[in-house]
Amino acid sequence: QVQLVESGGGLVQAGGSLRLSCAVSGSILNIKTMAWYRQPPGQQRELVAIITSDEGTTYADSVKGRFTISRDNAKKAAYLQMNSLKPEDTAVYYCNTDWILVPDQARGAKELFDLWGQGTQVTVSS
């Protein structure tokens, strides 16, 4: 079963850095856009950054210049480098992909849509 697994969260002081990782577990044939979302306490989930299959990137205004999204297709992974962290960056961070192609014994391949990881907590203290 294909899953997205996040890691790298933790507690950091304001101004510090963290690097989040998102690994795709299981056998896949292809994956398209990967993204990071976050959900601050008591708030709705929001988009942080997107990276397309050809490595085009888009960022939320609140993280531009501080966060960098990247991917390693060979390792089936995406990353979020977070610098100059602020207390308002405190949230559960989720990895997402909109489309994965996986092997299927009956059909050769099948598409999976809108996969989410379990989330990793990032806490920034002031």
Side-chain angles (χ1 to χ4, degrees), residues 26-70:
S27 179
I28 69 170
L29 300 173
N30 200 355
I31 184 169
K32 287 188 177 178
T33 299
M34 300 186 76
W36 287 95
Y37 287 75
R38 67 186 181 187
Q39 186 165 16
Q43 299 183 39
Q44 291 187 337
R45 193 173 297 187
E46 62 186 18
L47 177 66
V48 176
I50 291 174
I51 185 164
T52 63
S53 55
D54 59 358
E55 304 197 12
T57 57
T58 303
Y59 295 93
D61 288 343
S62 59
V63 307
K64 280 181 182 176
R66 300 188 298 122
F67 290 12
T68 302
I69 189 171
S70 60

Side-chain angles (χ1 to χ4, degrees), residues 12-121:
V12 64
Q13 288 188 331
S17 298
L18 283 174
R19 185 176 188 245
L20 304 183
S21 298
C22 173
V24 181
S25 68
S27 179
I28 69 170
L29 300 173
N30 200 355
I31 184 169
K32 287 188 177 178
T33 299
M34 300 186 76
W36 287 95
Y37 287 75
R38 67 186 181 187
Q39 186 165 16
Q43 299 183 39
Q44 291 187 337
R45 193 173 297 187
E46 62 186 18
L47 177 66
V48 176
I50 291 174
I51 185 164
T52 63
S53 55
D54 59 358
E55 304 197 12
T57 57
T58 303
Y59 295 93
D61 288 343
S62 59
V63 307
K64 280 181 182 176
R66 300 188 298 122
F67 290 12
T68 302
I69 189 171
S70 60
R71 63 190 291 167
D72 185 331
N73 292 326
K75 294 183 178 179
K76 302 183 298 180
Y79 308 96
L80 187 68
Q81 178 66 44
M82 305 186 295
N83 298 328
S84 302
L85 283 161
K86 305 175 181 180
E88 50 264 43
D89 294 318
T90 295
V92 178
Y93 283 72
Y94 297 92
C95 181
N96 169 268
T97 182
D98 61 349
W99 182 90
I100 287 183
L101 188 68
V102 301
D104 181 83
Q105 191 169 9
R107 293 177 282 171
K110 68 177 179 181
E111 298 173 295
L112 303 177
F113 301 94
D114 198 27
L115 263 65
W116 292 88
Q118 83 289 349
T120 185
Q121 176 70 47

